Amino acid sequence: MRKFGAAVAALTVALVVVGWFNRPATSTEWAAWVQTLGVLAAILWALRLQALASKQSLRQAGQVAAIFATNMHWVFRELNDACGKRSWPDYMVNRRILDEILAQGREVTLQLLDGRSLAMVSSLRAIAVEALEMTSPHTEGGNWSHLQLYFDKRLPSIAAWLSATGHPPESSGPTDYVGLRTSFGQLGGR
């Protein structure tokens, strides 16, 4: 914004200097000067609006990335708990939620992210894909302790990414998925 202000100030000084030495004499020259000033003001205003829109897009992309990371942390905690309790319904619901969260993470526009946020989203996408691949063959009678250990090892990495980007993990979940659990209970027959 300072560069923009400096450019506007320099342009104003240049116009004043030109206007001082080359004063308009006729009404046509005055009209040309007024029109020129109007066009320049419109161009500067458009540039300012573009800069503001760009900053807002960057801020929104960062917020979506933080929400993605927070949701990843939450669902990994839930999957870890489900594996610890050996709860098949909770496990299946949270695995579906993980799939939805990965879809959310794929919607983050990487071109709008900067260093840490970009690295965080890329890393968390890879972790989510790995988790989905790891959990897809799991059955109700499968190796629960192996999966719990897997989720337990990934939670500190996700929490570290959140902290590094200025969004420390929260203790509660981002969304209430009670309705999804209820609907799964009806589908699962348990």
Side-chain angles (χ1 to χ4, degrees), residues 2-86:
R2 288 182 180 161
K3 290 179 183 180
F4 181 75
V8 169
L11 183 63
T12 303
V13 168
L15 286 174
V16 168
V17 169
V18 169
W20 184 261
F21 291 111
N22 188 14
R23 291 186 186 163
T26 66
S27 63
T28 306
E29 288 177 355
W30 276 104
W33 269 93
V34 169
Q35 187 177 12
T36 301
L37 291 175
V39 168
L40 290 175
I43 290 171
L44 292 174
W45 187 255
L47 290 174
R48 182 177 183 275
L49 289 178
Q50 180 64 30
L52 290 174
S54 177
K55 283 184 181 180
Q56 183 178 6
S57 294
L58 291 172
R59 191 171 39 254
Q60 286 175 343
Q63 289 171 346
V64 171
I67 290 169
F68 169 57
T70 302
N71 289 348
M72 279 280 296
H73 188 261
W74 178 82
V75 79
F76 267 59
R77 273 195 345 248
E78 291 296 314
L79 282 164
N80 188 24
D81 292 345
C83 289
K85 294 185 295 185
R86 296 179 179 356

Side-chain angles (χ1 to χ4, degrees), residues 42-172:
I43 290 171
L44 292 174
W45 187 255
L47 290 174
R48 182 177 183 275
L49 289 178
Q50 180 64 30
L52 290 174
S54 177
K55 283 184 181 180
Q56 183 178 6
S57 294
L58 291 172
R59 191 171 39 254
Q60 286 175 343
Q63 289 171 346
V64 171
I67 290 169
F68 169 57
T70 302
N71 289 348
M72 279 280 296
H73 188 261
W74 178 82
V75 79
F76 267 59
R77 273 195 345 248
E78 291 296 314
L79 282 164
N80 188 24
D81 292 345
C83 289
K85 294 185 295 185
R86 296 179 179 356
S87 173
W88 182 249
D90 286 349
Y91 169 81
M92 288 302 294
V93 167
N94 288 305
R95 189 180 179 290
R96 287 181 184 172
I97 293 169
L98 175 61
D99 196 28
E100 292 174 15
I101 290 172
L102 177 58
Q104 174 196 31
R106 287 183 174 141
E107 291 176 7
V108 176
T109 307
L110 297 179
Q111 291 82 5
L112 296 177
L113 296 176
D114 62 353
R116 283 187 181 168
S117 294
L118 176 61
M120 175 184 72
V121 169
S122 299
S123 176
L124 291 181
R125 283 179 179 179
I127 289 173
V129 168
E130 178 188 49
L132 286 172
E133 289 174 356
M134 180 113 180
T135 58
S136 65
H138 185 68
T139 62
E140 191 170 359
N143 190 351
W144 289 98
S145 58
H146 176 68
L147 273 181
Q148 184 180 13
L149 181 63
Y150 171 80
F151 290 116
D152 201 37
K153 283 183 180 180
R154 299 312 183 272
L155 278 169
S157 299
I158 299 169
W161 275 119
L162 279 165
S163 295
T165 56
H167 302 89
E170 298 177 12
S171 59
S172 61

